Every structure is written in C-alpha cells, then in structure tokens.
Amino acid sequence: MNSSIFPKVIVNWINGQEVPSDNSRLFANLNPHNAEVLCQVSLSTSNAVDAAITSAQQAQAEWSNIPAVRRGQILYDVCNVMHAQRNLIGQIVALETGKSLKAALGETDGAIALGRFFAGEGQRLHGRTLQSDVPHKTGMTIREPVGIAGLIVPANTPIANIAWKVFPALICGNAAILKASEDAPGTAWIFGKIVQETGLPPGVLNILQGMGVDVGEPLVKHPQVGVISFTGSTQVGRRIATIAGERLAKISLELGGKNPLIVCDDADLENALRWSILSAFSNAGQRCASASRIIVFDSIYERFEKMLVDATAKLRLGIDDNDNLGPVINEKQLKNMLMWIDKARSQGARIVTGGKRVESENLGNGYYMSPTILDNVSSDDEISHQELFGPITILYRVHNYEDALKLANNSKYGLTACIHTNNIHRALHFTKNIQAGLAIVNGGTFGSEPHMPFGGIKNSGNGTREPGIEALDVYSEIKAVYLNILPELAH
Ligand code: NAD
C-alpha cells in the first residue's frame, strides 16, 4: 500500500464535479501509523455548503420522481462498482485509519452488504393500509422523501459510516450532502468518485471536506436541510440537537457509549475472554460499541483477570493483517486518553497493564496506545463515565448478578451491553432489564448487521435507529391518506 493512491489534493464533490474550496486553504491528511502526510484536503467553508445545497435542490426533485425500484437499481450498480474496487477502497481506509488491509476489506464488504440491503428496499418502501371507523373509507400511509439530508460522520469505520447514511437517505428519494470526517477524507472522496462513475445523477450526492465547525455546523443550520443524521460524540451531538432544534429540523443522533460486558460465574470463560479482547481492543478500541467496562463476578475475578492480562500481553500492534490493533486516529485523541489515564491514576485507579504511548522504534512515530486495563475504579468515578474511544477498558468486581446489572446500568450512556452466562433466566432477565439499545448474550458488545436496527438510549442517541428498515423512518416523511368511496357512484 502506498500513498500514491490518494490524489495530491482532495476537494469537494458538488454537482458531480470535483470543486476546490473557494479560499484555496488546505489541511494535511496524516497516516496515523507513522504521521506521514497522505495528501492535502480542502478546508471548506459555508460557501461550499451553499453550493452543495443549490446542487442538491436541483437534483432532488428529479431523483425522487424516479421510481424507488429504479433508484434501487442505480444504488445496486454503485455497490457492484464498490465491489469491483474493494481493494482500492480497502487500501484507502487502511492507510488513513491505521487499520490492517484485512480489517479495512472486511469493513468495505460490510458497507457493500448494507448498500445492497437498502437497494433492495427500493422494491418495498412499505406504507400501511389501515381500517376506518367510517363506512366506505380506507386509510393508508405512504412514504415521501424529506428533501435534502445532511449527513455527518466520524472516521472510526469510515466506509461503513458513509454507507449507513448515504444508502438509506438516497433510496428514500432524498438528495444528500455528506460532511466527511476530517480524519478520513480519502474514503469519502473515493466513494464520491465511484458514485459519479456509476451514473448517479449529478447533485444527488454531494460530499464536503473540512472541519466540523466550518462545514458541519452551517449544514446543520441551513433551512433547506430537512433531516440531519449525525454519528459522533455526545458533546457534538448535543450541540447539533440544539441548533437543529431551533428550526425544528428532523435529526437522528448516533452517539457515544461506555458499554458494559458482564462475565458471570457460570460463563464459558474462554468465549468470554475472546469477546472481551475483541470488544475492548479491536479497531484500537475506536468503536462506539467497544467494551470499556468489563464487570466480573467475585468468584472468578482473579482467574479471569489473569486470563485477560495474559491475552492482552500477546496482542500484536501494527498494521499487518495478523496484527491485532493499530494506532488511534490522531495525536489529539492519543493525548486525550493519556490525560484521562493520568487523572484516573491520581484518583486511585490501578493500571493493570498498558497506560502508555508506544515508544518502540517502528511504531513510535504513530499514534499507538498500548492496550490498557484499569482496575480499582468505582462505578461513580469520573473515568467510569468518560468515553475514551481507544484501547482502554476498566475491570470491575461484583458479588452477584444483581450488582452487575446495577453497575452496568449506572451510566449516562446506553448503547450496547453484553452478558456472558449459561443461565437462560439470567440471559433473558438481562436483555429485558439492561438500559441499552442493543443487548447481546455470549458475544461481543459490537457487531451489527445491515438489516438490524442499531442505536442507543440515554446519552447515546435520540431514539432513532439506523440501519435496518427503521432507518427508512429517519429519511422519509410519513403521509396519511384517506380514500372515500362514494357508493352511489360505484355502479
Ligand atoms: P466528533 O463528534 O468529534 O466528530 C464527528 C463528526 O462531526 C466529524 O465529521 C466532525 O467534523 C463533525 N463535527 C464536529 N463538530 C461539529 C459541529 N459543531 N457541527 C457539526 N459537525 C461537527 O466525533 P469523532 O471523535 O470523530 O468520533 C468519535 C465519536 O463518535 C465517539 O463518541 C463515538 O462513540 C461516536 N460514534 C458513534 C457511533 C454510533 O453509531 N453510535 C458510531 C461511531 C462513532
């Protein structure tokens, strides 16, 4: 893999064309593995948002008049070209996120599968038919596009994040403006290129590069943007909700998590270990659904802690396919994690393993954080409530299931949660009583499928769900229709 697959300068996609920002200012896209510059990127302003709105407005009416089945065929073509170019997409994802090519290709395949699912939804886009209290009257609902969708994404799984929003937005007949992550501009750029080459009408998808405050915020503020779908931190989500709330725009927020994974005394410990390691450390812990709180029963605590520490010591860091985790996305993120670890240490936490930047000769220039386990932390401590978005997990000791459930629910977040147990009663009780949008038994805290809804409660979201058919509700308006039959004219 080498950086020549990136253009020298990545600019915006507006109305099917590559358009630089009007101020010609640029920022560098860095490879998190070694801090080398991959390419330069347009630092766009609200002028680019205005241009994208004009383009999207012009394209949307015609796009929504194309029957949904045909829109689906066009999106299916996009997926086919993505499949043909999966290696290129995977390489771009790998280089700008610091994950292995194998992981990046897995993510690309997931994005294609999701695209195909939503392309197929063009054959359905169900409304409902309902009964009426009034004779000779029929009720039904139909779906209509919202208009222009503003889509804002983070960098952690960039091609998947883009697919999760673009495919459902477009199948519903909207035009879309995607604000790329400043940490993964190349993934958005190649997606835009594929989409234009496939024959999506110009202006149906516009892609803007730049910073959140310069581009994301004007997009959220713009009165022509009917629906905003945001995936990112709770802090930014709250700001977006405030701005969008002022003008009563529709919003979907997929936010942070501090996800618990409970290991009960009756669990298959090898299985629990495997999923704990993957949930805490894969993708360098940069998952909204990572297991950042591992809650273990007293009676097996020492044994499981040793298993976890031994397995963590064996993890290989780097970007090769057989490495287990790569760097975090940028230096700011790394420094933030180190700051929180110092703070936790000063408040009494014990660093069981890790807790440092990796300084080795081959990884020292990159943003590598050693996989970290903390203990001696109370569930009320600050670190128990702070999402760190890196390879850091906290171990908690509990007496029994009731204490585990109470600790798991003691969080402002409620995204995903997992329990490891062989007791069906415990498992079912957990799925019913855990405060989370996703409850998993004997698996990981992450892992979602295109046809299943994903999203959180409490500070992890605002109640919407993407993807699954639930995403169609985010990107369409429901219209109620009444039909009155006049019996005297019926014959
Ligand atoms: P972030 O909130 O800093 O940024 C996300 C996106 O929002 C970026 O494109 C950024 O440019 C943009 N942005 C920043 N400020 C903005 C503003 N004022 N107005 C509009 N847009 C703005 O998040 P991040 O650090 O890039 O990503 C990590 C976060 O994303 C974590 O909290 C993680 O849990 C969350 N996340 C959630 C999910 C989910 O499905 N729930 C999935 C992945 C990541």
Side-chain angles (χ1 to χ4, degrees):
M1 287 190 294
N2 89 48
S3 60
S4 64
I5 55 176
F6 287 81
K8 278 205 165 53
V9 179
I10 288 179
V11 299
N12 303 316
W13 283 107
I14 299 177
N15 204 24
Q17 305 290 322
E18 291 190 81
V19 183
S21 66
D22 57 343
N23 58 13
S24 326
R25 285 176 59 212
L26 301 171
F27 67 97
N29 181 20
L30 302 183
N31 180 342
H33 169 62
N34 53 19
E36 283 173 9
V37 175
L38 292 168
C39 64
Q40 299 290 326
V41 187
S42 272
L43 200 52
S44 309
T45 66
S46 61
N47 291 336
V49 175
D50 291 340
I53 297 275
T54 305
S55 147
Q57 266 179 320
Q58 282 165 0
Q60 195 267 329
E62 213 169 303
W63 176 245
S64 65
N65 280 334
I66 298 175
V69 177
R70 275 195 233 150
R71 289 200 298 266
Q73 285 159 355
I74 295 171
L75 296 182
Y76 214 89
D77 289 345
V78 171
C79 295
N80 288 343
V81 180
M82 285 176 79
H83 183 70
Q85 299 199 22
R86 75 187 272 277
N87 212 40
L88 176 61
I89 301 173
Q91 287 184 48
I92 290 176
V93 169
L95 279 171
E96 64 185 4
T97 61
K99 60 186 81 175
S100 68
L101 182 60
K102 185 175 151 203
L105 288 174
E107 186 190 317
T108 306
D109 291 341
I112 296 167
L114 184 136
R116 289 185 170 144
F117 171 75
F118 281 107
E121 281 308 302
Q123 293 166 307
R124 290 174 284 272
L125 280 190
H126 292 298
R128 292 186 295 159
T129 53
L130 295 123
Q131 306 304 314
S132 171
D133 179 43
V134 180
H136 311 301
K137 189 172 177 184
T138 303
M140 67 171 83
T141 65
I142 56 172
R143 287 183 185 278
E144 295 191 337
V146 182
I148 299 177
L151 314 174
I152 305 177
V153 289
N156 60 332
T157 48
I159 191 67
N161 296 347
I162 290 170
W164 272 40
K165 299 203 184 298
V166 170
F167 286 105
L170 298 193
I171 197 64
C172 289
N174 303 287
I177 301 171
L178 170 72
K179 150 68 179 87
S181 165
E182 55 270 43
D183 290 310
T187 307
W189 166 77
I190 189 67
F191 185 78
K193 189 162 184 285
I194 286 172
V195 157
Q196 305 312 328
E197 284 170 5
T198 310
L200 189 79
V204 171
L205 175 66
N206 305 276
I207 299 177
L208 302 180
Q209 303 286 353
M211 300 298 152
V213 281
D214 301 335
V215 182
E217 238 178 88
L219 190 61
V220 175
K221 282 182 181 153
H222 205 291
Q224 295 301 328
V225 177
V227 54
I228 294 134
S229 176
F230 170 78
T231 297
S233 61
T234 297
Q235 188 191 359
V236 173
R238 191 169 277 127
R239 172 145 185 82
I240 286 176
T242 307
I243 298 170
E246 271 296 312
R247 61 181 187 89
L248 300 180
K250 193 173 183 186
I251 52 170
S252 173
L253 301 175
E254 300 292 348
L255 309 175
K258 192 83 180 174
N259 311 292
L261 184 151
I262 299 173
V263 185
C264 299
D265 51 358
D266 64 337
D268 173 340
L269 290 192
E270 286 299 334
N271 188 47
L273 175 68
R274 188 167 77 85
W275 281 111
S276 296
I277 291 282
L278 282 170
S279 301
F281 300 132
S282 67
N283 211 38
Q286 298 168 110
R287 296 182 190 278
C288 53
S290 75
S292 40
R293 297 185 294 147
I294 299 181
I295 302 166
V296 185
F297 277 34
D298 215 2
S299 56
I300 52 159
Y301 186 88
E302 271 79 21
R303 187 168 156 218
F304 192 71
E305 181 183 51
K306 180 165 182 343
M307 287 167 75
L308 199 60
V309 171
D310 290 351
T312 304
K314 289 190 190 131
L315 294 175
R316 286 181 308 266
L317 276 71
I319 52 169
D320 291 336
D321 281 353
N322 51 8
D323 289 328
N324 301 99
L325 66 150
V328 297
I329 195 72
N330 58 38
E331 181 135 43
K332 188 171 158 221
Q333 172 61 13
L334 178 62
K335 286 190 167 154
N336 183 53
M337 288 187 301
L338 293 169
M339 184 275 287
W340 274 103
I341 288 196
D342 272 351
K343 200 169 176 184
R345 190 191 279 119
S346 70
Q347 290 171 354
R350 186 171 76 102
I351 315 297
V352 181
T353 184
K356 296 189 291 271
R357 180 178 191 155
V358 177
E359 306 274 4
S360 69
E361 202 183 317
N362 56 340
L363 304 180
N365 288 336
Y367 311 127
Y368 281 87
M369 175 84 200
S370 52
T372 300
I373 302 173
L374 308 179
D375 75 358
N376 201 31
V377 171
S378 140
S379 73
D380 291 323
D381 288 353
E382 236 180 323
I383 191 94
S384 293
H385 297 272
Q386 180 67 35
E387 187 190 35
L388 299 176
F389 214 57
I392 301 168
T393 193
I394 308 172
L395 265 182
Y396 302 87
R397 182 196 287 262
V398 289
H399 291 307
N400 52 34
Y401 170 71
E402 285 70 35
D403 289 351
L405 183 65
K406 197 166 156 211
L407 198 158
N409 281 336
N410 179 17
S411 176
K412 64 184 178 188
Y413 293 108
L415 191 53
T416 75
C418 175
I419 191 166
H420 279 259
T421 178
N422 282 324
N423 179 331
I424 191 164
H425 306 287
R426 246 178 210 167
L428 282 175
H429 188 274
F430 174 80
T431 57
K432 198 163 160 34
N433 291 285
I434 188 70
Q435 295 163 7
L438 276 86
I440 300 116
V441 177
N442 296 332
T445 48
F446 71 99
S448 54
E449 300 192 34
H451 53 285
M452 290 285 284
F454 184 90
I457 63 170
K458 303 202 262 188
N459 282 2
S460 293
N462 68 334
T464 58
R465 293 291 180 267
E466 301 179 52
I469 54 167
E470 286 76 1
L472 303 175
D473 290 343
V474 170
Y475 297 104
S476 48
E477 299 285 10
I478 307 288
K479 182 179 277 176
V481 176
Y482 291 103
L483 300 173
N484 292 290
I485 300 160
L486 303 179
E488 63 278 16
L489 297 181
H491 38 128

